PDB file of all heavy atoms in Angstrom:
ATOM      1  N   ALA A 272     -18.986  10.887  25.898  1.00 93.00           N
ATOM      2  CA  ALA A 272     -19.537  10.479  24.682  1.00 93.00           C
ATOM      3  C   ALA A 272     -18.636  10.762  23.513  1.00 93.00           C
ATOM      4  O   ALA A 272     -18.447  11.960  23.191  1.00 93.00           O
ATOM      5  CB  ALA A 272     -20.934  11.095  24.438  1.00 93.00           C
ATOM      6  N   LEU A 273     -18.094   9.757  22.859  1.00 93.00           N
ATOM      7  CA  LEU A 273     -17.178   9.958  21.634  1.00 93.00           C
ATOM      8  C   LEU A 273     -17.614   8.978  20.519  1.00 93.00           C
ATOM      9  O   LEU A 273     -16.924   8.010  20.272  1.00 93.00           O
ATOM     10  CB  LEU A 273     -15.808   9.773  22.076  1.00 93.00           C
ATOM     11  CG  LEU A 273     -15.033  11.005  22.740  1.00 93.00           C
ATOM     12  CD1 LEU A 273     -13.609  10.488  22.975  1.00 93.00           C
ATOM     13  CD2 LEU A 273     -14.960  12.103  21.723  1.00 93.00           C
ATOM     14  N   PRO A 274     -18.835   9.106  19.979  1.00 91.00           N
ATOM     15  CA  PRO A 274     -19.220   8.226  18.920  1.00 91.00           C
ATOM     16  C   PRO A 274     -18.469   8.378  17.639  1.00 91.00           C
ATOM     17  O   PRO A 274     -17.959   9.509  17.355  1.00 91.00           O
ATOM     18  CB  PRO A 274     -20.668   8.526  18.735  1.00 91.00           C
ATOM     19  CG  PRO A 274     -20.784  10.007  19.126  1.00 91.00           C
ATOM     20  CD  PRO A 274     -19.775  10.256  20.249  1.00 91.00           C
ATOM     21  N   ARG A 275     -18.351   7.340  16.848  1.00 88.00           N
ATOM     22  CA  ARG A 275     -17.730   7.458  15.555  1.00 88.00           C
ATOM     23  C   ARG A 275     -18.788   8.202  14.699  1.00 88.00           C
ATOM     24  O   ARG A 275     -19.943   7.855  14.577  1.00 88.00           O
ATOM     25  CB  ARG A 275     -17.410   6.011  15.036  1.00 88.00           C
ATOM     26  CG  ARG A 275     -16.467   5.315  15.923  1.00 88.00           C
ATOM     27  CD  ARG A 275     -15.856   4.086  15.190  1.00 88.00           C
ATOM     28  NE  ARG A 275     -14.983   4.500  14.073  1.00 88.00           N
ATOM     29  CZ  ARG A 275     -14.525   3.661  13.140  1.00 88.00           C
ATOM     30  NH1 ARG A 275     -14.910   2.428  13.154  1.00 88.00           N
ATOM     31  NH2 ARG A 275     -13.823   4.031  12.121  1.00 88.00           N
ATOM     32  N   ARG A 276     -18.289   9.133  13.893  1.00 92.00           N
ATOM     33  CA  ARG A 276     -19.184  10.024  13.161  1.00 92.00           C
ATOM     34  C   ARG A 276     -19.483   9.307  11.783  1.00 92.00           C
ATOM     35  O   ARG A 276     -18.573   8.745  11.058  1.00 92.00           O
ATOM     36  CB  ARG A 276     -18.501  11.407  12.864  1.00 92.00           C
ATOM     37  CG  ARG A 276     -17.994  12.012  14.120  1.00 92.00           C
ATOM     38  CD  ARG A 276     -17.449  13.459  13.852  1.00 92.00           C
ATOM     39  NE  ARG A 276     -18.543  14.325  13.760  1.00 92.00           N
ATOM     40  CZ  ARG A 276     -18.308  15.588  13.311  1.00 92.00           C
ATOM     41  NH1 ARG A 276     -17.206  16.012  12.825  1.00 92.00           N
ATOM     42  NH2 ARG A 276     -19.379  16.454  13.194  1.00 92.00           N
ATOM     43  N   ASN A 277     -20.761   9.235  11.448  1.00 93.00           N
ATOM     44  CA  ASN A 277     -21.138   8.773  10.090  1.00 93.00           C
ATOM     45  C   ASN A 277     -20.995   9.750   9.056  1.00 93.00           C
ATOM     46  O   ASN A 277     -20.585  10.880   9.206  1.00 93.00           O
ATOM     47  CB  ASN A 277     -22.678   8.287  10.281  1.00 93.00           C
ATOM     48  CG  ASN A 277     -23.518   9.431  10.632  1.00 93.00           C
ATOM     49  OD1 ASN A 277     -23.401  10.545  10.276  1.00 93.00           O
ATOM     50  ND2 ASN A 277     -24.629   9.051  11.331  1.00 93.00           N
ATOM     51  N   LEU A 278     -21.312   9.268   7.828  1.00 95.00           N
ATOM     52  CA  LEU A 278     -21.136  10.015   6.608  1.00 95.00           C
ATOM     53  C   LEU A 278     -21.882  11.234   6.679  1.00 95.00           C
ATOM     54  O   LEU A 278     -21.442  12.398   6.272  1.00 95.00           O
ATOM     55  CB  LEU A 278     -21.306   9.239   5.389  1.00 95.00           C
ATOM     56  CG  LEU A 278     -20.404   8.176   4.830  1.00 95.00           C
ATOM     57  CD1 LEU A 278     -21.011   7.460   3.647  1.00 95.00           C
ATOM     58  CD2 LEU A 278     -19.052   8.848   4.545  1.00 95.00           C
ATOM     59  N   ARG A 279     -23.160  11.174   7.183  1.00 94.00           N
ATOM     60  CA  ARG A 279     -23.952  12.382   7.134  1.00 94.00           C
ATOM     61  C   ARG A 279     -23.345  13.506   8.063  1.00 94.00           C
ATOM     62  O   ARG A 279     -23.297  14.645   7.652  1.00 94.00           O
ATOM     63  CB  ARG A 279     -25.376  11.992   7.640  1.00 94.00           C
ATOM     64  CG  ARG A 279     -26.338  13.158   7.647  1.00 94.00           C
ATOM     65  CD  ARG A 279     -26.466  13.893   8.987  1.00 94.00           C
ATOM     66  NE  ARG A 279     -27.259  15.030   8.918  1.00 94.00           N
ATOM     67  CZ  ARG A 279     -27.069  16.101   9.660  1.00 94.00           C
ATOM     68  NH1 ARG A 279     -26.098  16.314  10.475  1.00 94.00           N
ATOM     69  NH2 ARG A 279     -27.914  17.184   9.549  1.00 94.00           N
ATOM     70  N   ASP A 280     -22.872  13.111   9.237  1.00 95.00           N
ATOM     71  CA  ASP A 280     -22.278  14.087  10.085  1.00 95.00           C
ATOM     72  C   ASP A 280     -20.994  14.699   9.611  1.00 95.00           C
ATOM     73  O   ASP A 280     -20.830  15.941   9.695  1.00 95.00           O
ATOM     74  CB  ASP A 280     -21.946  13.393  11.483  1.00 95.00           C
ATOM     75  CG  ASP A 280     -23.246  12.950  12.212  1.00 95.00           C
ATOM     76  OD1 ASP A 280     -24.309  13.576  11.974  1.00 95.00           O
ATOM     77  OD2 ASP A 280     -23.176  12.083  13.073  1.00 95.00           O
ATOM     78  N   CYS A 281     -20.253  13.914   8.957  1.00 96.00           N
ATOM     79  CA  CYS A 281     -18.911  14.348   8.345  1.00 96.00           C
ATOM     80  C   CYS A 281     -19.218  15.369   7.281  1.00 96.00           C
ATOM     81  O   CYS A 281     -18.612  16.424   7.110  1.00 96.00           O
ATOM     82  CB  CYS A 281     -18.121  13.180   7.926  1.00 96.00           C
ATOM     83  SG  CYS A 281     -17.398  12.169   9.225  1.00 96.00           S
ATOM     84  N   LEU A 282     -20.207  14.948   6.361  1.00 97.00           N
ATOM     85  CA  LEU A 282     -20.460  15.782   5.206  1.00 97.00           C
ATOM     86  C   LEU A 282     -21.138  17.113   5.656  1.00 97.00           C
ATOM     87  O   LEU A 282     -20.688  18.215   5.186  1.00 97.00           O
ATOM     88  CB  LEU A 282     -21.404  15.071   4.293  1.00 97.00           C
ATOM     89  CG  LEU A 282     -21.754  15.803   3.012  1.00 97.00           C
ATOM     90  CD1 LEU A 282     -20.560  16.151   2.132  1.00 97.00           C
ATOM     91  CD2 LEU A 282     -22.726  15.012   2.123  1.00 97.00           C
ATOM     92  N   ALA A 283     -22.044  17.055   6.605  1.00 95.00           N
ATOM     93  CA  ALA A 283     -22.666  18.332   7.037  1.00 95.00           C
ATOM     94  C   ALA A 283     -21.613  19.256   7.780  1.00 95.00           C
ATOM     95  O   ALA A 283     -21.666  20.439   7.587  1.00 95.00           O
ATOM     96  CB  ALA A 283     -23.818  17.960   8.040  1.00 95.00           C
ATOM     97  N   ASP A 284     -20.691  18.665   8.506  1.00 96.00           N
ATOM     98  CA  ASP A 284     -19.608  19.393   9.173  1.00 96.00           C
ATOM     99  C   ASP A 284     -18.758  20.107   8.060  1.00 96.00           C
ATOM    100  O   ASP A 284     -18.540  21.292   8.273  1.00 96.00           O
ATOM    101  CB  ASP A 284     -18.814  18.499  10.035  1.00 96.00           C
ATOM    102  CG  ASP A 284     -17.968  19.198  10.972  1.00 96.00           C
ATOM    103  OD1 ASP A 284     -17.907  20.475  10.966  1.00 96.00           O
ATOM    104  OD2 ASP A 284     -17.384  18.538  11.878  1.00 96.00           O
ATOM    105  N   GLU A 285     -18.390  19.427   7.068  1.00 96.00           N
ATOM    106  CA  GLU A 285     -17.431  20.056   6.044  1.00 96.00           C
ATOM    107  C   GLU A 285     -18.139  21.099   5.231  1.00 96.00           C
ATOM    108  O   GLU A 285     -17.490  22.094   4.831  1.00 96.00           O
ATOM    109  CB  GLU A 285     -16.884  18.988   5.151  1.00 96.00           C
ATOM    110  CG  GLU A 285     -15.888  18.119   5.735  1.00 96.00           C
ATOM    111  CD  GLU A 285     -14.638  18.920   6.280  1.00 96.00           C
ATOM    112  OE1 GLU A 285     -14.416  19.996   5.720  1.00 96.00           O
ATOM    113  OE2 GLU A 285     -13.962  18.396   7.168  1.00 96.00           O
ATOM    114  N   LEU A 286     -19.469  21.002   5.063  1.00 95.00           N
ATOM    115  CA  LEU A 286     -20.221  22.006   4.259  1.00 95.00           C
ATOM    116  C   LEU A 286     -20.508  23.203   5.066  1.00 95.00           C
ATOM    117  O   LEU A 286     -21.126  24.207   4.483  1.00 95.00           O
ATOM    118  CB  LEU A 286     -21.450  21.362   3.703  1.00 95.00           C
ATOM    119  CG  LEU A 286     -21.246  20.272   2.671  1.00 95.00           C
ATOM    120  CD1 LEU A 286     -22.544  19.734   2.161  1.00 95.00           C
ATOM    121  CD2 LEU A 286     -20.306  20.703   1.514  1.00 95.00           C
ATOM    122  N   ARG A 287     -20.295  23.272   6.419  1.00 93.00           N
ATOM    123  CA  ARG A 287     -20.518  24.444   7.161  1.00 93.00           C
ATOM    124  C   ARG A 287     -19.606  25.582   6.913  1.00 93.00           C
ATOM    125  O   ARG A 287     -19.929  26.787   7.034  1.00 93.00           O
ATOM    126  CB  ARG A 287     -20.438  24.173   8.710  1.00 93.00           C
ATOM    127  CG  ARG A 287     -21.555  23.299   9.188  1.00 93.00           C
ATOM    128  CD  ARG A 287     -21.509  23.156  10.688  1.00 93.00           C
ATOM    129  NE  ARG A 287     -22.538  22.149  11.084  1.00 93.00           N
ATOM    130  CZ  ARG A 287     -22.361  20.936  11.619  1.00 93.00           C
ATOM    131  NH1 ARG A 287     -21.097  20.522  11.665  1.00 93.00           N
ATOM    132  NH2 ARG A 287     -23.322  20.117  11.825  1.00 93.00           N
ATOM    133  N   ARG A 288     -18.474  25.266   6.316  1.00 89.00           N
ATOM    134  CA  ARG A 288     -17.489  26.239   5.892  1.00 89.00           C
ATOM    135  C   ARG A 288     -16.823  25.876   4.575  1.00 89.00           C
ATOM    136  O   ARG A 288     -16.367  24.712   4.476  1.00 89.00           O
ATOM    137  CB  ARG A 288     -16.391  26.469   6.983  1.00 89.00           C
ATOM    138  CG  ARG A 288     -15.719  25.263   7.468  1.00 89.00           C
ATOM    139  CD  ARG A 288     -14.644  25.634   8.494  1.00 89.00           C
ATOM    140  NE  ARG A 288     -13.531  26.346   7.839  1.00 89.00           N
ATOM    141  CZ  ARG A 288     -12.493  26.818   8.460  1.00 89.00           C
ATOM    142  NH1 ARG A 288     -12.379  26.631   9.747  1.00 89.00           N
ATOM    143  NH2 ARG A 288     -11.551  27.460   7.778  1.00 89.00           N
ATOM    144  N   LEU A 289     -16.801  26.689   3.629  1.00 92.00           N
ATOM    145  CA  LEU A 289     -16.300  26.380   2.340  1.00 92.00           C
ATOM    146  C   LEU A 289     -15.004  27.127   2.000  1.00 92.00           C
ATOM    147  O   LEU A 289     -14.420  27.044   0.904  1.00 92.00           O
ATOM    148  CB  LEU A 289     -17.329  26.743   1.234  1.00 92.00           C
ATOM    149  CG  LEU A 289     -18.631  25.924   1.254  1.00 92.00           C
ATOM    150  CD1 LEU A 289     -19.545  26.390   0.277  1.00 92.00           C
ATOM    151  CD2 LEU A 289     -18.304  24.491   1.151  1.00 92.00           C
ATOM    152  N   ASP A 290     -14.426  27.904   3.019  1.00 93.00           N
ATOM    153  CA  ASP A 290     -13.058  28.454   2.893  1.00 93.00           C
ATOM    154  C   ASP A 290     -12.099  27.447   3.278  1.00 93.00           C
ATOM    155  O   ASP A 290     -12.413  26.407   3.805  1.00 93.00           O
ATOM    156  CB  ASP A 290     -12.987  29.732   3.736  1.00 93.00           C
ATOM    157  CG  ASP A 290     -13.272  29.429   5.189  1.00 93.00           C
ATOM    158  OD1 ASP A 290     -14.241  28.647   5.421  1.00 93.00           O
ATOM    159  OD2 ASP A 290     -12.535  29.889   6.079  1.00 93.00           O
ATOM    160  N   PRO A 291     -10.824  27.578   2.857  1.00 94.00           N
ATOM    161  CA  PRO A 291      -9.809  26.621   3.163  1.00 94.00           C
ATOM    162  C   PRO A 291      -9.658  26.375   4.618  1.00 94.00           C
ATOM    163  O   PRO A 291      -9.725  27.326   5.463  1.00 94.00           O
ATOM    164  CB  PRO A 291      -8.524  27.214   2.501  1.00 94.00           C
ATOM    165  CG  PRO A 291      -9.016  28.095   1.418  1.00 94.00           C
ATOM    166  CD  PRO A 291     -10.297  28.663   1.978  1.00 94.00           C
TER     167      PRO A 291
END
Side-chain angles (χ1 to χ4, degrees):
L273 279 178
R275 298 193 70 190
R276 310 187 79 192
N277 57 31
L278 282 179
R279 183 267 174 210
D280 293 336
C281 290
L282 183 60
D284 195 350
E285 287 300 336
L286 296 180
R287 289 189 185 109
R288 51 175 294 176
L289 296 177
D290 56 317

